[in-house]
Amino acid sequence: MNKILLWSVTAALAGFLFGFDTVVISGADKQLQLLWHSSDAFHGSVVMAMALWGTVIGAIFGGFPTNKIGRKKTLFWIGVLFLVSAVGAAFANDPYVFAAFRFLGGIGVGASTIAAPAYVSEIAPADKRGRLVALYQFNIVLGILVAFISNYFLKDIGDNSWRWMIGVQAFPSLIYLLFILVIPESPRWLLSKNRIDEARLILFKIDPSADIKSLVDDSNENRAKKHENIFMKKYRFPLVLAFLIAFFNQFSGINAFLYYAPRIFEEAGLGQNTALLSSIGIGITNLIFTLIGVALIDKLGRKLLMYVGSVGYIISLGLVSASFYYNWGGLTVPIFLFLFIASHAIGQGAVIWVFISEIFPNHIRASGQAFGSSVHWVLAAIIPSLIPMLFSEIGPEVVFLIFTLMMVLQLLFVIFLMPETKGISLEVLSEKLTKKNINKNEINETSPAGIL
């Protein structure tokens, strides 16, 4: 188990770079807009959101290298993209060059949401898969917290403080690249390429008592289905599940908030320094409740965490909307947004990448994750890019009210459609989810022992 944990943590470090890359721009937000005299529309859609459009490309096409060259090599090239992006954006002298390098980092983010959860889910035992895959989310929020702290301490080092904020990511990117060299390839991917002897060696290291014959037989059956794709009728249910969980993840407003946390706090009447400090508080809250989510996901299950998160979303977002509408001022908005972040971390944050990595069969897992990630990141690009304009045109109170109503719909999705997936082997789970007349209650049965 120690080896599995080490390999899982190493792959999940891609999430740290994801979180850092996503949020580090928030500290440079207003400085870059003043530096390049950008309009709200240009600043929001190009300077701030270009990384998110890169993430869309990475999510759409990241399944190809993940399937073709393997999970490990894809993770390595993701690290290269993060390194090049950090250095290039830090030295940029105009918004277009800056946006181009941020776009490269975005590709790395999008691809990492496919390769890292796929890798960890394929090496993890069924009873520990939730918390091991959730390490990816833990690293995302750790990266977010470190980015907020880094921005706070670098904000006063001069006119070029934004260059240091962006460029410091080169250091963890380099460390990640060195670490990724020591992990083995995913045994399930090796089996899919008929590299059975290599897969056996790795599977034996993971669990000497595992039923390797069953995995080999399943892999042979999957290779016979290599002509299949995720849009076939029998895969409609997992496809709908992936779409909806990704859709609701972004219509909570989470990425819009993370990108513009200091700006939102200033809109609520806080000073610049207080806003940045409040952002650090958001990062700490995110980290603490993600740890709770990771600890509980294999005990309580994915569905119960989504119940808790959905109710928390509705309460917190409704209160944020009311705070702006009634001008409550003071620390009310930060407090309610801390509750929002806690709800996200223990619910959607802990569940989304685990859930999407579980619900597709092995032979189309990367393609299914690419679909779910693409939905997530298309919305993650569109929604934050509209925030500066929406705040100006309709006001933050209306924006947060819309997010609240969308979370009511998410709660209905969890109640009526979302199945529980904890403790079930990937092979058994995919068989149950792709049955023509699926009985969702049947999915809750325990999977056979001895299969990863």
Side-chain angles (χ1 to χ4, degrees):
M1 184 58 194
N2 288 337
K3 287 179 181 175
I4 300 173
L5 180 60
L6 177 62
W7 298 340
S8 299
V9 169
T10 300
L13 285 174
F16 178 89
L17 298 175
F18 164 176
F20 194 99
D21 185 86
T22 299
V23 167
V24 72
I25 188 71
S26 68
D29 171 19
K30 288 198 168 182
Q31 194 175 355
L32 289 175
Q33 187 169 11
L34 290 172
L35 176 66
W36 289 320
H37 309 291
S38 305
S39 66
D40 282 348
F42 180 85
H43 181 68
S45 61
V46 177
V47 176
M48 294 294 286
M50 190 54 69
L52 288 172
W53 289 114
T55 303
V56 171
I57 299 301
I60 291 173
F61 296 105
F64 293 107
T66 304
N67 274 333
K68 188 72 175 175
I69 66 174
R71 285 46 165 154
K72 177 180 176 177
K73 287 182 180 177
T74 302
L75 287 169
F76 177 83
W77 285 108
I78 286 167
V80 171
L81 287 172
F82 280 125
L83 179 62
V84 172
S85 172
V87 174
F91 284 99
N93 287 316
D94 67 73
Y96 299 100
V97 172
F98 178 85
F101 279 107
R102 290 282 296 163
F103 182 82
L104 291 179
I107 294 175
V109 169
S112 78
T113 61
I114 300 166
Y119 178 86
V120 179
S121 71
E122 290 175 352
I123 67 169
D127 62 337
K128 297 179 176 67
R129 188 175 61 241
R131 74 191 71 165
L132 289 176
V133 178
L135 286 173
Y136 178 71
Q137 177 65 20
F138 169 77
N139 273 277
I140 292 173
V141 301
L142 181 61
I144 289 170
L145 174 59
V146 172
F148 279 139
I149 294 172
S150 173
N151 285 348
Y152 180 76
F153 284 108
L154 292 173
K155 72 183 189 317
D156 294 324
I157 64 173
D159 292 338
N160 287 320
S161 60
W162 67 268
R163 296 188 187 276
W164 289 99
M165 290 179 183
I166 302 296
V168 74
Q169 187 182 350
F171 297 106
S173 299
L174 189 58
I175 293 169
Y176 166 78
L177 280 172
L178 296 175
F179 279 16
I180 211 71
L181 294 173
V182 305
I183 67 172
E185 183 52 85
S186 159
R188 283 183 166 96
W189 180 80
L190 290 170
L191 287 172
S192 74
K193 300 300 179 183
N194 206 28
R195 292 160 62 175
I196 295 174
D197 290 339
E198 294 174 69
R200 283 182 188 276
L201 289 172
I202 298 168
L203 284 166
F204 185 77
K205 291 180 182 178
I206 293 173
D207 183 3
S209 64
D211 186 353
I212 296 175
K213 183 180 181 302
S214 295
L215 292 174
V216 173
D217 290 344
D218 182 77
S219 179
N220 290 335
E221 184 181 334
N222 283 337
R223 277 203 303 279
K225 301 176 182 175
K226 63 182 180 181
H227 63 284
E228 293 187 346
N229 63 73
I230 58 172
F231 298 105
M232 296 177 70
K233 186 176 181 180
K234 66 178 178 177
Y235 300 127
R236 185 175 298 165
F237 186 58
L239 199 70
V240 168
L241 292 175
F243 174 85
L244 288 175
I245 197 167
F247 176 89
F248 286 124
N249 182 284
Q250 283 307 298
F251 268 97
S252 69
I254 183 62
N255 267 46
F257 171 63
L258 292 176
Y259 259 59
Y260 294 102
R263 182 183 291 236
I264 291 170
F265 288 139
E266 287 184 46
E267 289 268 356
L270 301 183
Q272 184 178 16
N273 279 352
T274 308
L276 283 169
L277 278 173
S278 295
S279 299
I280 294 174
I282 288 294
I284 293 171
T285 304
N286 204 357
L287 186 69
I288 291 170
F289 281 88
T290 296
L291 281 170
I292 295 172
V294 170
L296 295 177
I297 193 168
D298 282 322
K299 295 177 182 177
L300 302 182
R302 290 58 160 152
K303 190 162 182 169
L304 183 55
L305 293 187
M306 286 290 288
Y307 274 125
V308 173
S310 297
V311 172
Y313 272 148
I314 294 166
I315 294 171
S316 58
L317 287 168
L319 288 171
V320 171
S321 177
S323 295
F324 278 108
Y325 184 78
Y326 292 108
N327 294 313
W328 287 343
L331 292 175
T332 54
V333 169
I335 290 170
F336 296 150
L337 283 172
F338 284 6
L339 176 59
F340 165 73
I341 285 291
S343 303
H344 174 81
I346 205 168
Q348 270 274 11
V351 171
I352 179 171
W353 304 118
V354 175
F355 189 72
I356 294 176
S357 75
E358 294 175 321
I359 58 178
F360 293 98
N362 293 333
H363 66 294
I364 59 168
R365 177 166 298 110
S367 299
Q369 282 188 250
F371 172 79
S373 295
S374 298
V375 173
H376 175 280
W377 288 114
V378 166
L379 293 173
I382 293 172
I383 295 171
S385 68
L386 295 175
I387 288 299
M389 183 177 65
L390 288 174
F391 274 18
S392 299
E393 296 296 324
I394 64 175
E397 64 277 8
V398 178
V399 173
F400 283 105
L401 179 60
I402 292 170
F403 291 148
T404 305
L405 296 175
M406 294 306 297
M407 292 304 93
V408 174
L409 296 179
Q410 175 179 275
L411 181 59
L412 296 176
F413 157 70
V414 176
I415 294 171
F416 295 109
L417 200 59
M418 183 180 177
E420 182 55 75
T421 59
K422 72 166 183 170
I424 308 173
S425 81
L426 295 176
E427 287 72 26
V428 172
L429 186 58
S430 67
E431 180 184 348
K432 292 179 182 292
L433 285 173
T434 54
K435 281 184 178 179
K436 196 167 187 179
N437 297 307
I438 185 166
N439 177 355
K440 283 185 284 182
N441 293 327
E442 185 183 9
I443 298 170
N444 295 321
E445 295 173 4
T446 306
S447 63
I451 299 179
L452 287 175

